[in-house]
Amino acid sequence: MAALEERSGPDWQELDKEHYLHPFTDHKDLHKKKSRIITHAEGSYIYDADGNRILDAMSGLWCVNAGYGRDELIEAAAAQMRELPYYNSFFQCAHPPSIALAKLLQEVSPPQMNRVFFTGSGSESNDTIVRMVRRYWDLMGQPERQTIISRHNAYHGSTVAAASLGGMKPMHRQGGLPIPGIVHVDQPYWFGSDHSQTPDEFGLQAARAIETAINEIGADKIAAFIGEPIQGAGGVIVPPDTYWPEVQRICDEYGVLLISDEVITGFGRLGEWFGADFYGTRPDFMPFAKGVTSGYLPLGGVLVSDRVAETLIDKGGEFYHGYTYSGHPAACAVAIANINILRNEGLVERVKNDIGPYLQKKWHSLGEHPLVGETRMVGLMGAFEIVQDKDSLGRFDEDLGVGTICRDFLVNNGLVMRAVGDTIVAAPPFILSHAEADEMVEIAWKCLDLTQKAIE
Ligand SMILES: *Cc1c(COP(=O)(O)O)cnc(C)c1O
């Protein structure tokens, strides 16, 4: 009973305020309110200390793809911890779960990916890539290839290097970022443009911004280009179809390494194992995290192409980089169990052929709401745009915070989605049932109505 009592009541909220500095939070604002305390979860639902059941259409933070309460994952962690809770992979050591996972990753990833470097998170993975990209060009005898091109409004994590790779201006303003050697070009966000071009024309133009930057800086100084196949935190920005093929052409033409940030899109979110599979790109690096363990334990890594990995191996010399938790045995055991779930239950195919198309169809019906200017969804990664004027696609005044108003209605009506400005984004778990998809879209419609009333 004690455990139950401890789960609920205002004490958690008070203790939280007293002692816990939350990530990505306006602390003063939070102190005026109270945190929502999530106590447990099952399937697609989370439960809070006030007894509310909430459909988690964000899969936690884009990660609990296999859903909550999966005994296979829990047992895999427990069994591995009993056997070997920790050992490192420094000093020419390894252990079965890290090796087995490396092999499994080779099987599910594109053919040029045969090796993996483990980290603890997506941010660390991108830090690793900054180091590894520069190390690669050093070994190739082109040490002046240092610059990495990224995009405005990209999200690549929150450490110093990852936040620098990202294109989030508010993050850059805090802490003097980006670090040197990282430049940002336009994102392929057609809805955010002036709509004077077709999406296909706009996609080509956005890709060619990379080429322009390469020519301005000099191809001999450009190390790599990094992009999320579909930008997640930036607002589920689905690039026009012309974008990725042109990016691949440019990377090939100028010998620039391609980094496909698969932290959200990896492990089935788009109905293919990786975003690179979906868009047909051939990256040299694929950072991953989130969905690899369905979030049950923290794990990240970087899949490295043969040409890069073989250079590191053949040319030799120590690469002075690694983490205490690189290839953590329990996290690797959970990742193996999670990939087995994805395979055995055909969840990637389910996203592609069943729940993906089912939810997409429902989702697009939200486009008929007077407040919605665009809907988009690939696999189980979607967004809708709230507009003031459906014809001109004009936005509301930013200060109104309409997206946040809508988001608050959503969660108070039992549905977690996220607001990125006036863009509402969703990424439900792959086990989402048809009934839950119906529920998601019904609540969303109702909350759009409530939002419309609230701002009138
Ligand atoms: C979440 C995210 C990251 C950062 O991952 P963390 O595990 O939070 O460090 C990096 N890239 C993308 C695309 C992400 O969505």
Side-chain angles (χ1 to χ4, degrees):
M1 279 319 285
L4 258 185
E5 273 159 34
E6 279 167 26
R7 268 182 173 181
S8 61
D11 287 353
W12 285 123
Q13 291 172 321
E14 274 314 309
L15 287 170
D16 179 55
K17 283 191 190 185
E18 300 274 323
H19 301 295
Y20 188 8
L21 286 173
H22 293 208
F24 277 103
T25 292
D26 179 336
H27 296 107
K28 189 169 178 187
D29 186 49
L30 178 60
H31 270 238
K32 284 189 243 146
K33 304 174 190 159
K34 285 175 175 171
S35 296
R36 183 182 297 276
I37 310 297
I38 308 302
T39 52
H40 58 291
E42 184 60 36
S44 302
Y45 291 91
I46 54 172
Y47 296 81
D48 71 15
D50 298 328
N52 296 307
R53 184 180 96 139
I54 306 168
L55 179 57
D56 183 9
M58 282 309 298
S59 307
L61 270 180
W62 327 80
C63 54
V64 188
N65 297 347
Y68 296 99
R70 304 292 308 226
D71 283 333
E72 307 93 313
L73 304 184
I74 299 157
E75 294 307 326
Q80 183 56 48
M81 285 195 200
R82 273 185 216 105
E83 185 82 17
L84 178 72
Y86 176 77
Y87 201 71
N88 64 71
S89 307
F90 294 23
F91 320 127
Q92 311 200 344
C93 289
H95 37 64
S98 56
I99 301 165
L101 178 58
K103 167 67 181 138
L104 205 48
L105 289 167
Q106 176 264 321
E107 290 175 20
V108 299
S109 64
Q112 76 276 19
M113 300 295 185
N114 288 299
R115 290 185 178 82
V116 64
F117 188 100
F118 288 118
T119 72
S121 69
S123 301
E124 287 178 16
S125 299
N126 282 321
D127 275 53
T128 291
I129 286 175
V130 172
R131 300 283 309 277
M132 204 181 273
V133 157
R134 291 175 175 169
R135 170 84 181 142
Y136 168 79
W137 285 118
D138 244 353
L139 289 172
M140 293 295 287
Q142 299 182 58
E144 62 294 343
R145 278 200 190 247
Q146 289 270 319
T147 300
I148 301 173
I149 300 175
S150 178
R151 295 153 334 155
H152 299 299
N153 197 39
Y155 187 77
H156 297 297
S158 196
T159 53
V160 168
S164 296
L165 287 172
M168 300 290 178
K169 293 224 164 65
M171 291 177 76
H172 289 174
R173 279 197 287 270
Q174 296 173 345
L177 305 180
I179 56 172
I182 294 169
V183 299
H184 298 85
V185 300
D186 282 344
Q187 55 176 336
Y189 184 28
W190 181 83
F191 187 85
S193 76
D194 64 9
H195 311 132
S196 63
Q197 292 169 297
T198 65
D200 280 354
E201 288 165 356
F202 181 80
L204 280 181
Q205 176 186 294
R208 285 175 191 154
I210 302 164
E211 190 165 33
T212 305
I214 293 172
N215 286 322
E216 275 170 15
I217 298 161
D220 57 342
K221 296 195 173 59
I222 305 295
F225 168 75
I226 183 168
E228 306 151 78
I230 292 176
Q231 287 153 264
V236 180
I237 290 163
V238 180
D241 293 341
T242 49
Y243 183 75
W244 279 111
E246 184 67 0
V247 172
Q248 182 69 62
R249 182 208 46 93
I250 292 164
C251 288
D252 290 344
E253 188 166 327
Y254 296 90
V256 168
L257 299 173
L258 176 60
I259 305 158
S260 183
D261 185 338
E262 302 275 358
V263 173
I264 289 175
T265 50
F267 304 97
R269 171 70 46 203
L270 305 184
E272 300 285 346
W273 276 89
F274 291 92
D277 301 320
F278 185 84
Y279 284 112
T281 54
R282 297 178 313 280
D284 286 288
F285 296 94
M286 299 202 312
F288 63 86
K290 297 191 170 115
V292 65
T293 57
S294 281
Y296 279 58
L297 281 180
L299 177 75
V302 182
L303 283 154
V304 182
S305 72
D306 288 338
R307 70 167 163 172
V308 174
E310 279 159 17
T311 301
L312 294 176
I313 295 164
D314 294 347
K315 305 243 182 201
E318 181 166 348
F319 179 38
Y320 298 104
H321 177 71
Y323 306 105
T324 301
Y325 297 133
S326 286
H328 189 285
C332 289
V334 170
I336 292 166
N338 183 57
I339 291 171
N340 286 335
I341 287 177
L342 294 178
R343 279 180 155 181
N344 298 340
E345 298 181 12
L347 288 182
V348 182
E349 294 76 14
R350 183 168 192 271
V351 172
K352 182 174 183 166
N353 300 321
D354 178 348
I355 188 62
Y358 184 84
L359 179 63
Q360 287 157 24
K361 187 157 173 267
K362 298 254 157 185
W363 188 257
H364 291 312
S365 73
L366 293 170
E368 283 153 37
H369 194 280
L371 279 189
V372 175
E374 183 182 89
T375 54
R376 47 183 186 266
M377 186 173 281
V378 177
L380 285 179
M381 188 171 180
F384 61 77
E385 301 277 5
I386 301 179
V387 292
Q388 183 168 29
D389 184 283
K390 249 179 122 81
D391 296 326
S392 68
L393 303 180
R395 294 280 201 191
F396 285 100
D397 186 340
E398 231 177 88
D399 295 337
L400 282 175
V402 177
T404 311
I405 293 171
C406 183
R407 193 266 327 268
D408 289 347
F409 278 126
L410 289 166
V411 68
N412 291 329
N413 282 277
L415 175 62
V416 182
M417 300 207 280
R418 220 165 115 182
V420 181
D422 288 349
T423 311
I424 303 290
V425 303
F430 302 173
I431 49 126
L432 190 81
S433 70
H434 288 205
E436 288 163 354
D438 296 346
E439 182 185 342
M440 203 178 137
V441 174
E442 275 160 32
I443 297 175
W445 186 282
K446 175 178 160 195
C447 292
L448 281 161
D449 283 346
L450 290 169
T451 304
Q452 194 173 17
K453 284 208 193 84
I455 53 184
E456 263 165 21

